[in-house]
Amino acid sequence: MTTERLDQPRALRRTLRPHYDPEAFGRLSEQIARFLGTARFIVYMTVFVGLWVIWNVVAPPNLKFDPYPFIFLTLMLSLQASYAAPLILLAQNRQSDRDRIQYEQDREAADRNQAEIEYLTREIAGLRLALNEVATRDYLRAELGRLLEELKERR
């Protein structure tokens, strides 16, 4: 029985599965999803489908490649939708992950701010208490005035 050693890297294995960079694929899916959600895409698709239908209705019979009921067009649109839906979901998942991380960072910042506010509030309360024990200017003037009066009386 062989056990893997943790102090050595694993030997490279060849697999038949294709390797891809999930981060690059995620960025590409976000770009595609961002494009699919624009008015430009809707205009492009409308023009494409319109030209397709017009060509296959008006063109001479030997040039028509998808006669009515446009089964090939339906197949292409279904294929496009079958790829668009998972790409949009992948982009949404990545966005929700970023939002979750941002919310966690915001919560941590709010907790730090709250702790700082509580600390400063305690410091201000401590200063107020200390100021009550410190002689104020008016108190010192009154005391010095009283001492001056006592000195005058003694003379």
Side-chain angles (χ1 to χ4, degrees), residues 25-26 28-30 32-33 36 78-94:
F25 187 75
L28 176 66
S29 70
E30 287 175 342
I32 292 171
L36 291 177
S78 297
L79 182 65
Q80 183 267 335
S82 71
Y83 276 97
L87 289 175
I88 291 169
L89 287 174
L90 178 61
Q92 286 177 339
N93 288 340
R94 287 172 52 89

Side-chain angles (χ1 to χ4, degrees), residues 54-111:
I54 290 170
W55 179 265
N56 285 293
V57 168
V58 177
N62 61 340
L63 295 178
K64 292 180 183 179
F65 56 89
D66 188 22
Y68 183 81
F70 312 115
I71 293 173
F72 187 53
L73 175 64
T74 305
L75 176 67
M76 286 182 47
L77 293 175
S78 297
L79 182 65
Q80 183 267 335
S82 71
Y83 276 97
L87 289 175
I88 291 169
L89 287 174
L90 178 61
Q92 286 177 339
N93 288 340
R94 287 172 52 89
Q95 184 61 45
S96 68
D97 289 343
R98 281 193 299 271
D99 290 343
R100 181 180 41 78
I101 291 169
Q102 184 64 44
Y103 291 147
E104 288 174 7
Q105 291 173 347
D106 290 347
R107 184 186 50 77
E108 290 170 0
D111 289 345

Side-chain angles (χ1 to χ4, degrees), residues 81-151:
S82 71
Y83 276 97
L87 289 175
I88 291 169
L89 287 174
L90 178 61
Q92 286 177 339
N93 288 340
R94 287 172 52 89
Q95 184 61 45
S96 68
D97 289 343
R98 281 193 299 271
D99 290 343
R100 181 180 41 78
I101 291 169
Q102 184 64 44
Y103 291 147
E104 288 174 7
Q105 291 173 347
D106 290 347
R107 184 186 50 77
E108 290 170 0
D111 289 345
R112 282 192 306 272
N113 289 340
Q114 182 66 30
E116 289 177 14
I117 289 170
E118 289 174 1
Y119 170 76
L120 291 174
T121 302
R122 285 191 297 276
E123 286 294 313
I124 290 171
L127 288 173
R128 284 184 177 164
L129 289 173
L131 279 177
N132 284 338
E133 296 171 4
V134 173
T136 62
R137 183 177 47 184
D138 293 335
Y139 174 75
L140 287 176
R141 279 189 183 152
E143 286 297 310
L144 288 174
R146 190 180 57 75
L147 286 174
L148 186 60
E149 290 299 322
E150 279 183 30
L151 286 174

Side-chain angles (χ1 to χ4, degrees), residues 43-55 73 77:
V43 170
Y44 288 166
M45 283 302 290
T46 303
V47 169
F48 174 77
V49 170
L51 290 174
W52 185 291
V53 170
I54 290 170
W55 179 265
L73 175 64
L77 293 175

